[in-house]
Amino acid sequence: MNSLLCSFLDDWGRSIGEGLGRTGVIIFVVAFVAIMLFMLYNIFLAQIFKPRADRKFKIKWVQIIFVVILALFTTWFCLILSNM
């Protein structure tokens, strides 16, 4: 027996797949990956090119959380794509 959340996400994934179609899901996957890579690039640049006065290692937690969320969405849309 699946949990209620898994059933909800499965049904929602099917409706997204049927509504957007295969091409729409591919477009969203590419967009999520592009945004995720851009955010990772921004995080790495912020760590490499720091101002001279502030040499402490600062982690951009908000951007890292958004990258994780985008990675989960990308994985979910890839699963939707594989079930089509």
Side-chain angles (χ1 to χ4, degrees):
M1 181 174 162
N2 286 340
S3 69
L4 187 59
L5 180 62
C6 289
S7 298
F8 173 73
L9 290 175
D10 189 37
D11 291 340
W12 201 24
R14 281 194 200 121
S15 66
I16 288 173
E18 291 171 1
L20 292 175
R22 190 172 184 86
T23 306
V25 173
I26 291 172
I27 290 170
F28 270 99
V29 168
V30 170
F32 287 149
V33 169
I35 294 170
M36 190 171 51
L37 289 176
F38 178 72
M39 289 179 73
L40 282 173
Y41 177 72
N42 190 15
I43 291 170
F44 290 141
L45 279 182
Q47 294 303 319
I48 293 172
F49 300 113
K50 292 184 256 185
R52 295 274 181 198
D54 187 21
R55 285 292 185 188
K56 290 190 290 183
F57 185 73
K58 291 184 180 178
I59 299 174
K60 295 187 169 192
W61 289 108
V62 175
Q63 284 187 349
I64 291 173
I65 290 170
F66 279 129
V67 167
V68 169
I69 290 170
L70 284 172
L72 291 173
F73 272 122
T74 304
T75 305
W76 186 38
F77 272 69
C78 287
L79 288 173
I80 290 172
L81 191 62
S82 69
N83 288 333
M84 291 180 84

